[in-house]
Amino acid sequence: FRLVGLLAKQLQPAEARNALDFGLSRLELGMDTSDGDGPWRASLLLQTSMDAAVAGYVWAALAAPEAQYRWEAAHVVRGLCKLGCDECVDQLMTWISTKPPTQFSDEGLFHYVLHARQWLLMGIARAAVDHPISIARFFDLLKSVALEGEPHVLIRELAARTAVSISSILPNVDKGVISSLNAVNKPIINPN
């Protein structure tokens, strides 16, 4: 790979295109039409922006069965917040409560959507510590996930802690809402 990196700098655009075409044609020799999602079809095309495409790749890594990839993807989320990549982060956050795209995972494999939500919230929670302003716009979404979302203990806890964390920089947050967020996953003690 180092040799390719050195040689690529010496190639003219037409030579680079020819080299890429040669390499891809060699790769295609070992591929079968049943590999991955099979031949190209229109349903594999993502009809949105580059930010949505980047978010899709991050989302796929957040749902990976291997913890190492989820951990790295959570750090990417934190980095996106730090760098002000708002469109990409906005796209990721919409998939907390809506159906994510299918173009970024193999149709033959199970997509661990709860992993993706949990690890996305881990990255967002960490960003809330360092850059709370970058995620303040998600307060209502985080509140909804924590108080009304699916009964997943870690997802609700991460959403609640993050919402409480960023509430300090928001004006006019109802104290009752903060109390409800602080009560997420806490036992209810009956006075009788």
Side-chain angles (χ1 to χ4, degrees), residues 70-115:
R70 294 191 308 267
W71 179 256
E72 290 169 354
H75 280 283
V76 169
V77 170
R78 179 180 170 227
L80 290 170
C81 293
K82 180 179 181 178
L83 295 172
C85 300
D86 294 342
E87 294 85 8
C88 193
V89 176
D90 289 348
Q91 190 67 62
L92 284 166
M93 291 300 284
T94 62
W95 295 330
I96 278 191
S97 56
T98 63
K99 188 176 183 214
T102 58
Q103 291 93 339
F104 298 97
S105 57
D106 189 314
E107 292 175 355
L109 301 176
F110 184 78
H111 181 75
Y112 295 96
V113 69
L114 294 178
H115 270 20

Side-chain angles (χ1 to χ4, degrees), residues 149-178:
E150 59 194 317
H152 187 286
V153 174
L154 289 173
I155 290 174
R156 291 182 65 174
E157 185 71 24
L158 288 163
R161 284 186 192 177
T162 306
V164 169
S165 175
I166 62 176
S167 69
S168 62
I169 65 166
L170 297 173
N172 305 325
V173 176
D174 183 2
K175 293 191 187 311
V177 170
I178 300 302

Side-chain angles (χ1 to χ4, degrees), residues 103-164:
Q103 291 93 339
F104 298 97
S105 57
D106 189 314
E107 292 175 355
L109 301 176
F110 184 78
H111 181 75
Y112 295 96
V113 69
L114 294 178
H115 270 20
R117 290 176 182 153
Q118 177 183 332
W119 284 83
L120 170 60
L121 287 169
M122 284 183 191
I124 292 293
R126 183 62 181 129
V129 173
D130 298 329
H131 312 285
I133 293 171
S134 70
I135 60 163
R137 65 189 181 281
F138 301 121
F139 178 80
D140 289 332
L141 176 60
L142 292 165
K143 176 182 75 168
S144 174
V145 170
L147 301 177
E148 303 157 15
E150 59 194 317
H152 187 286
V153 174
L154 289 173
I155 290 174
R156 291 182 65 174
E157 185 71 24
L158 288 163
R161 284 186 192 177
T162 306
V164 169

